Amino acid sequence: MKKLTFIFLLISSFAFSQMPNISSVWMNNSQPYLGSISSEKIPMKVKINISEQDKKNDQEYFLSGFTLVGNTNTKFEGKLKITKYKAGKKRNTVFGEYELVEENKGKHSGILKGKFVYTFIWNKKTEKIE
């Protein structure tokens, strides 16, 4: 009976644990992410203006913002999903995937898909990322 109670408590702790809301992290302190597209390595900036944690699935975030390629500024919307969380003694790491869909507004419009790794320090007292 003790084993059954322990297993039930273990399962319930996983079921009710919640990912902290780190939506502000994806906005990158209002700084754009820098990258490139195409085989010509054309410079691209991605600026996230809105980042909201999904209320039903705390592992997903709704993102919205703009991309800039050359002189073309395009709106996008999409999702970022955390697929794995690795806790460490000092640093924690999240792994995930993103998909951002741009408005069809030019020759560089399209869908941005990829994977990411983000390492951070979680302050338990303030419940914020440092």
Side-chain angles (χ1 to χ4, degrees):
M1 186 65 174
K2 288 182 181 181
K3 287 183 182 179
L4 185 60
T5 303
F6 176 73
I7 291 172
F8 177 73
L9 287 173
L10 185 64
I11 291 172
S12 65
S13 69
F14 283 116
F16 295 110
S17 64
Q18 184 174 347
M19 178 72 184
N21 186 350
I22 57 174
S23 58
S24 63
V25 166
W26 315 125
M27 295 186 359
N28 198 28
N29 295 319
S30 295
Q31 297 299 312
Y33 293 94
L34 306 176
S36 62
I37 61 170
S38 80
S39 59
E40 291 88 33
K41 303 281 186 199
I42 299 169
M44 176 181 201
K45 293 181 181 181
V46 177
K47 184 162 186 313
I48 299 172
N49 293 332
I50 297 173
S51 173
E52 296 177 357
Q53 188 177 36
D54 188 323
K55 290 178 176 46
K56 292 181 181 176
N57 182 355
D58 63 3
Q59 305 291 313
E60 289 188 4
Y61 294 83
F62 169 77
L63 304 176
S64 159
F66 293 89
T67 60
L68 179 64
V69 178
N71 292 327
T72 306
N73 198 6
T74 307
K75 289 182 185 180
F76 73 82
E77 291 184 353
K79 284 193 174 185
L80 178 145
K81 181 178 181 180
I82 294 173
T83 56
K84 183 179 175 184
Y85 175 77
K86 185 177 173 184
K89 291 183 180 181
K90 292 189 177 185
R91 297 190 184 278
N92 303 294
T93 306
V94 289
F95 301 84
E97 302 169 346
Y98 62 89
E99 182 172 318
L100 310 175
V101 180
E102 294 177 306
E103 287 181 330
N104 191 4
K105 189 181 171 183
K107 75 176 191 175
H108 298 297
S109 297
I111 298 174
L112 306 170
K113 283 184 177 183
K115 295 182 179 190
F116 69 91
V117 178
Y118 183 74
T119 303
F120 62 94
I121 297 172
W122 180 253
N123 186 327
K124 292 179 182 178
K125 292 179 183 176
T126 63
E127 294 190 358
K128 292 188 179 182
I129 288 179
E130 294 180 346

